[in-house]
Structure formats: C-alpha cells, structure tokens
Amino acid sequence: MSTANELLKQRADRVFCPTYARYPAAMVSGSGCRLTDADGRTYLDFLSGIAVCGLGHCYPLVTEAICRQAGKLVHVSNLYYTEPQTELAELLVAASFADKVFLANSGAEANEAAIKLARIASAPERYEIISLAGSFHGRTLATVAATGQPKFHAGFEPLPAGFVHVPFDDIGAIEAAINERTCAVLCEPLQGEGGVRPLSRDYLQAIRQLCDDRGLHLIFDEVQTGMGRTGTLFAYEQLGITPDIMSVAKALGNGLPIGAMLTTDRLAASLTPGTHASTFGGNPVAAAAAVAVLQTMQGDGFLPEVRAKGDYFRQQLAGLVERFPGICAGVRGLGLICGLVLTEAGTARGGAIVNAMFDKGFLMNFAGNVALRFVPPLIVERADIDLLIEALAEVLADQA
Ligand SMILES: *Cc1c(COP(=O)(O)O)cnc(C)c1O
C-alpha cells in the first residue's frame, strides 16, 4: 500500500519539470522548528526552507499580518501606493546604511536590480562586474553569469556578457581584474551555497578600499546572510564596512516571496522612472509579512540571542570534530548559519549523512560539496540543538 507521501510524489513527478531532486516527504504543516509530513511524521527543521523561515514556521505575528492584509487588499501593482510596502521600506532604510529601496520577489531579482543599478549608475563603457569563485547569486541568466561556480553555467551559454570571476580570498586577483570596463565588485559577506565560507574581515575591508580607490560600486549579496541570520540584522554590520548596494530576500518575508535591493540616495538617483520595475514587487501581503518580521527581529534581545545560540551550536559542533576527526575537519559560520566542514574522506559521505539524518527526522543539507549546513529558524532552542547534535553523533559514528 502506498503512503500519502508516495502518492503525492507520484503525482508531482508526472507534472513537474524534473529540476528538483527532492526528499521523499510531502510537508503539510509546520510550527516553530517542526514540520509534519503527509504520513504524520515530524521533522526538526535545521534548514528553514533554505534560510527563509527565520522566525520558524507559521510564526503567529506573521500569520496574523498575512491574514489581516489578505482580507483587505492583495495586489494593485506599483502604479499606486500602498502602506505595507512603504512601511517596509521605511523600516529597511532606518535599519541599514541605505536611503532608498527597490522591492522585488526573490533573491535573484533583488540581485538583478543590484546589477542593473551598478551599470546604470556608471559611465556607459563601464559595465563589468567582478564576483568571486564559489559564489552563488541566483538562477536567472544574469545572476547565473555572476555566480562563480561553473556547474551552474553548463548548458546555458552564451551567458550575458560583463561578468568576471576571480579566485577566493585573493585581493591581488581582484585588483588585476579591474580595467576600464569595471563598474562593481559583487560578493556575499559569507558564502552560503558555497559551503558556509566566511570572507575574512581583512579581505572585505581591502575590497572596500579597492572599490573606493578605483571608483567602483561594492555590492553585497545578503540574500542568505541578511535578516538576522548572522546575529545582526545584516552581516555587514559586523565587518566595519558598508556596501553601496545590498540585496536581501530569503528570510525577509519569513516564507512569502519578497526581496529588496537597498542603496544610497546618490546611486538610486540613476534609477529614474521606467528604468526598472516589477509587477508584483512589494506586493502588500508579502510586504505586511516582512514588516512583522523586521519588527520582531528588532525586538529587545532577539539578535543577541541569535549570536549566543550560534556560539553554543558551534561549540557543540566542535565537539563532533574532536570525536570524529576522520570525517569532520572543522566548524565555521556566523550567528545561526553554521557549517560542519568535512574532511576529504568525509565529503564522499556528505550526501549519505544528510540522508541518514533525514531518516532520523532532522532536516539539513550539504553545501558546496564541503560542509554540512545548518540554518535553523532563529527561534531554535538549545534543547533542539542538543537533539540534532545527538542524532548527528550517532550518524557520524555509523559512518566512521
Ligand atoms: C538563495 C540565494 C540567492 C537566490 O535567491 P532566490 O530567491 O532563489 O532567487 C541569491 N544569492 C544568495 C547568496 C542566495 O543564498
């Protein structure tokens, strides 16, 4: 007899483009850090829908905001003003370096806006953008071109021109790549998909200095690191530098699709009427959700607690590195984006470890073919972290 999970899988496999390699679970409900599938199995979620549900599943204040707005007005386009999107932009400006905001519907779209701005705010002959090996910036053609991982390019050439990749952690390589066509440097402060790989403070400060010296725009892709994930609202706050353009998305709407491109007055002036637009961008329901998210994360004690729990989590992961040196090479991350880096022998088992954890009811993934990635809801409790560590220790013992 087929289970409800299997039946839904069969239906889905008949009608969807086969782009996704999914786990054999159809999720039906969620609350906090827990998900329940169609057969009634529960999972402890250390993935948060890929760093999206920062406040956990069905956070009551966000659900209320969505329901309230859905009963009032769902969509009007950007031909008219609405209060939720304006309130959201006011909050983003008040909480960041930025003076101006463009609202989009996803991370890739927020990056598209950043790329278009970097070009239109530069002289016409300056259009090239330098990005880093191992980076991930999205799946639209321009953001795929910006992504510094060949596996995402294969089969889609010719890619849009004007994107140059340089080796990671090599300031000289960036300097050497700058020419009369360069307009910007684009990077994630910490590479998420690339394997939870932070850029060092010195490297980032050198990039900032180089951009200042050579008149380039610095674009931070904070799609994954933004919205509290690293223990400050945005990762750049911990780095002693400020970008000129920043994209955020993932956790902004706690699950509703919304992204934002933030920038300064000086650069934003180039985005005159008609230069860029989005039919759905800043949709009132998604914006209302994002307002509730920002207000919650800015509440007393929320972000310090993310930092404290991140430190606790990494301590526990470091214990696993000591116990299983054949598989685990080290721990990295910031706030509640944590990576358990695997040894060469360990990387061959990364997929198997994730599958064994899934069988035990724990959701996580293997990023960049180097690190087990944990991005739990920011409301995760230490007791949940303990449960995950205990299960992971059992799985690693089986693999050792
Ligand atoms: C997920 C991600 C994106 C793409 O976001 P989508 O919403 O999937 O388009 C871009 N940049 C980074 C750093 C990401 O983690």
Side-chain angles (χ1 to χ4, degrees):
M1 217 185 67
S2 292
T3 68
N5 279 327
E6 283 162 11
L7 286 173
L8 200 70
K9 172 178 163 30
Q10 286 164 14
R11 280 171 56 195
D13 289 349
R14 273 197 288 275
V15 290
F16 283 114
C17 298
T19 48
Y20 300 111
R22 305 193 212 222
Y23 294 93
M27 301 302 183
V28 292
S29 64
S31 176
C33 295
R34 281 168 175 77
L35 283 169
T36 303
D37 75 14
D39 294 319
R41 241 189 121 212
T42 64
Y43 302 82
L44 196 50
D45 186 3
F46 274 68
L47 208 47
S48 309
I50 318 186
V52 166
C53 299
L55 300 179
H57 298 282
C58 298
Y59 189 75
L61 270 178
V62 176
T63 301
E64 276 164 35
I66 292 169
C67 293
R68 206 182 321 118
Q69 187 58 41
K72 231 163 126 184
L73 183 68
V74 172
H75 175 82
V76 291
S77 86
N78 286 298
L79 295 176
Y80 310 98
Y81 295 97
T82 68
E83 189 173 5
Q85 62 165 232
T86 304
E87 191 178 359
L88 172 59
E90 285 170 347
L91 289 170
L92 287 170
V93 163
S96 72
F97 73 93
D99 309 305
K100 292 286 192 285
V101 176
F102 178 86
L103 293 175
N105 310 292
S106 67
E109 280 183 59
N111 282 336
E112 288 274 348
I115 291 164
K116 285 181 74 174
L117 172 58
R119 286 186 177 183
I120 204 165
S122 305
E125 68 280 7
R126 294 177 71 162
Y127 57 84
E128 234 168 56
I129 296 177
I130 299 171
S131 61
L132 307 184
S135 62
F136 180 81
H137 299 296
R139 301 296 204 129
T140 60
L141 278 173
T143 58
V144 156
T147 292
Q149 300 188 62
K151 69 176 180 189
F152 293 111
H153 300 167
F156 298 112
E157 300 88 353
L159 295 174
F163 294 93
V164 178
H165 305 117
V166 295
F168 186 82
D169 205 21
D170 182 348
I171 191 71
I174 298 181
E175 201 165 2
I178 297 171
N179 59 42
E180 63 289 353
R181 296 181 301 277
T182 312
C183 71
V185 176
L186 163 65
C187 62
E188 303 151 86
L190 174 155
Q191 294 185 341
E193 301 304 306
V196 191
R197 192 158 60 148
L199 281 62
S200 75
R201 222 181 136 86
D202 287 352
Y203 182 37
L204 283 163
Q205 292 189 351
I207 293 175
R208 175 71 271 181
Q209 190 62 50
L210 198 51
C211 287
D212 289 343
D213 293 347
R214 307 294 288 269
L216 308 178
H217 310 308
L218 176 57
I219 310 171
F220 271 5
D221 178 347
E222 291 228 28
V223 168
Q224 186 155 164
T225 55
M227 298 311 297
R229 176 54 58 188
T230 65
T232 47
L233 197 57
F234 307 108
Y236 81 82
E237 296 169 50
Q238 297 174 59
L239 303 169
I241 54 164
T242 301
D244 305 300
I245 303 172
M246 177 173 77
S247 54
V248 295
K250 288 198 162 86
L252 182 56
N254 207 54
L256 286 208
I258 184 165
M261 185 278 288
L262 286 72
T263 190
T264 59
D265 272 326
R266 187 173 67 81
L267 293 189
S270 298
L271 286 175
T272 54
T275 50
H276 196 48
S278 166
T279 300
F280 292 119
N283 168 284
V285 178
V291 166
V293 169
L294 265 164
Q295 287 171 337
T296 303
M297 289 185 179
Q298 292 183 304
D300 274 349
F302 186 92
L303 292 169
E305 187 60 8
V306 172
R307 296 196 285 274
K309 288 185 294 195
D311 290 343
Y312 177 77
F313 196 179
R314 274 185 296 280
Q315 265 169 28
Q316 307 308 304
L317 289 171
L320 297 179
V321 177
E322 271 178 36
R323 284 171 66 187
F324 304 101
I327 304 179
C328 306
V331 178
R332 57 195 186 198
L334 197 61
L336 277 170
I337 177 164
C338 300
L340 182 58
V341 182
L342 301 184
T343 60
E344 207 168 300
T347 54
R349 293 175 218 160
I353 293 167
V354 171
N355 287 337
M357 288 295 284
F358 175 85
D359 291 340
K360 284 178 175 289
F362 293 86
L363 306 183
M364 49 181 268
N365 77 344
F366 187 41
N369 213 33
V370 290
L372 299 173
R373 175 175 52 176
F374 308 93
V375 279
L378 305 178
I379 57 160
V380 69
E381 290 180 8
R382 284 171 182 74
D384 295 328
I385 294 173
D386 293 343
L387 288 173
L388 175 111
I389 294 289
E390 205 178 300
L392 190 54
E394 288 170 13
V395 167
L396 292 171
D398 286 345
Q399 295 284 334

